[in-house]
Amino acid sequence: MNKMLRNAFLFGGVILVLMIAGYYLNEQVYQEVGLIYDKHEVLQKVSDSLPVQATIFHRKWGALQVNDEVSLHAFVSYVDRIKQQYEPKQIMTARDEGQAMFSGRIRYLNGSEQTFSLENTLTLGKWSYGPGHETPMLSAMQTQLLSLFYTPEHYAEFIRSSKELTYRIDGIQESLQDDEKGYLVSQISQASEIKDPVEMKQLLLLRKQKPLAYITAFKQDNEMLNDRNNLLHMVVYADYVVMEYMGDDNGNSIYLRTKLGSLLHGKNIGAQ
């Protein structure tokens, strides 16, 4: 009996010692803990890093504003990945942003703005990221930004600002007149993009048929001066047209639903 009582007292003593030790350690660990009232600082950093709008200028397509969250997120994701991949290099002399293929400004939630340019490097303010030549990451970002210009409105503006507009039927090439150019601009601006997968599959089969004509918009009035970044090519069918910007490294084709038969009516007769 005495042995059992002794063991009980020993067990109780161990429990008491552990409780006292736990209380002492708790006091030592948490007595230095304090609340940091940094709500304003956290919100400020969020405002500094959250983009709400981007103005993007392309050397051949002109300018556009990006406001939707999906496009902004894709844009900023590329910026973050490039900044992680390359060490920043400070730019010592001012650059002419208009010489880059892409340039513009990013506006943040707090109202601040940051300039950028993109070609063989990504430039943000006074810092440059990249090896000085094209890489898959830089090329992918250029493709993503270029795709933002692929809308009927921007296609129409590219055509409107072109210096030369030609059509080709049965191997014969001629220029479109000013009134015909205006009609083409109007029709393209009112066209709708075809995105339905089933309809796209059907159109791909129809592309095996002979098109009505080929139309090319040249940014320069002398065809010899035009490089691929100056060319917008259109393959015209009865009920739709395939838009192909030759400066797109990925060779993307966009399908627009529109009828250009009246524009080309009678021209094949002259070609024959």
Side-chain angles (χ1 to χ4, degrees):
M1 183 70 179
N2 290 336
K3 184 177 181 181
M4 291 180 61
L5 188 62
R6 190 167 52 251
N7 290 338
F9 275 114
L10 180 61
F11 179 76
V14 171
I15 295 298
L16 181 61
V17 170
L18 291 175
M19 290 176 63
I20 295 173
Y23 176 79
Y24 176 77
L25 290 174
N26 183 71
E27 287 294 311
Q28 290 296 313
V29 171
Y30 288 103
Q31 66 180 352
E32 301 297 331
V33 175
L35 294 177
I36 301 176
Y37 297 96
D38 60 349
K39 178 180 178 180
H40 176 75
E41 182 179 353
V42 170
L43 291 177
Q44 182 64 37
K45 289 185 176 180
V46 170
S47 298
D48 290 344
S49 61
L50 185 63
V52 294
Q53 186 184 77
T55 301
I56 301 172
F57 178 82
H58 186 274
R59 200 162 60 201
K60 305 299 181 182
W61 286 84
L64 62 77
Q65 284 191 343
V66 181
N67 299 298
D68 67 282
E69 294 182 1
V70 175
S71 298
L72 283 172
H73 176 73
F75 176 40
V76 174
S77 294
Y78 274 113
V79 171
D80 291 340
R81 290 161 65 185
I82 291 173
K83 289 172 67 176
Q84 292 173 7
Q85 185 171 346
Y86 302 107
E87 290 293 329
K89 299 176 183 177
Q90 189 168 10
I91 302 172
M92 304 307 296
T93 57
R95 288 188 177 183
D96 184 358
E97 301 295 344
Q99 296 301 312
M101 185 59 71
F102 291 94
S103 60
R105 292 180 177 273
I106 309 170
R107 185 163 63 86
Y108 296 92
L109 186 61
N110 65 351
S112 65
E113 292 186 344
Q114 185 176 42
T115 59
F116 79 91
S117 64
L118 174 66
E119 193 153 14
N120 294 329
T121 59
L122 171 65
T123 300
L124 293 170
K126 297 181 179 180
W127 299 95
S128 176
Y129 302 84
H133 58 83
E134 191 169 286
T135 65
M137 181 67 71
L138 292 169
S139 179
M141 185 176 181
Q142 290 182 29
T143 299
Q144 191 273 330
L145 292 183
L146 189 58
S147 67
L148 299 175
F149 289 87
Y150 292 164
T151 66
E153 294 78 14
H154 284 100
Y155 283 128
E157 178 57 27
F158 191 102
I159 296 169
R160 188 198 65 77
S161 62
S162 63
K163 302 298 184 182
E164 181 72 19
L165 198 60
T166 66
Y167 70 90
R168 181 164 55 89
I169 301 176
D170 294 333
I172 305 299
Q173 179 173 303
E174 298 288 346
S175 296
L176 288 175
Q177 303 303 313
D178 289 342
D179 58 329
E180 295 172 323
K181 178 180 180 179
Y183 177 81
L184 178 60
V185 169
S186 175
Q187 291 299 110
I188 294 298
S189 65
Q190 298 176 44
S192 59
E193 183 177 351
I194 302 171
K195 298 181 179 181
D196 181 69
V198 176
E199 189 173 2
M200 287 290 296
K201 186 176 181 179
Q202 294 174 345
L203 293 180
L204 287 173
L205 295 175
L206 290 176
R207 286 198 69 177
K208 297 179 181 179
Q209 301 177 2
K210 182 180 178 181
L212 299 179
Y214 302 91
I215 299 176
T216 304
F218 299 86
K219 278 292 183 180
Q220 301 294 331
D221 53 5
N222 186 335
E223 292 184 21
M224 299 300 294
L225 298 177
N226 287 282
D227 60 23
R228 64 191 183 96
N229 294 309
N230 284 325
L231 307 180
L232 177 62
H233 192 56
M234 292 157 268
V235 185
V236 183
Y237 293 87
D239 299 317
Y240 68 99
V241 58
V242 183
M243 313 297 292
E244 299 175 338
Y245 176 55
M246 307 311 290
D248 189 334
D249 291 333
N250 283 9
N252 292 314
S253 297
I254 309 300
Y255 293 71
L256 299 182
R257 184 181 290 104
T258 185
K259 295 180 183 291
L260 297 176
S262 60
L263 174 66
L264 302 169
H265 179 68
K267 292 187 179 298
N268 59 334
I269 297 177
Q272 293 173 353

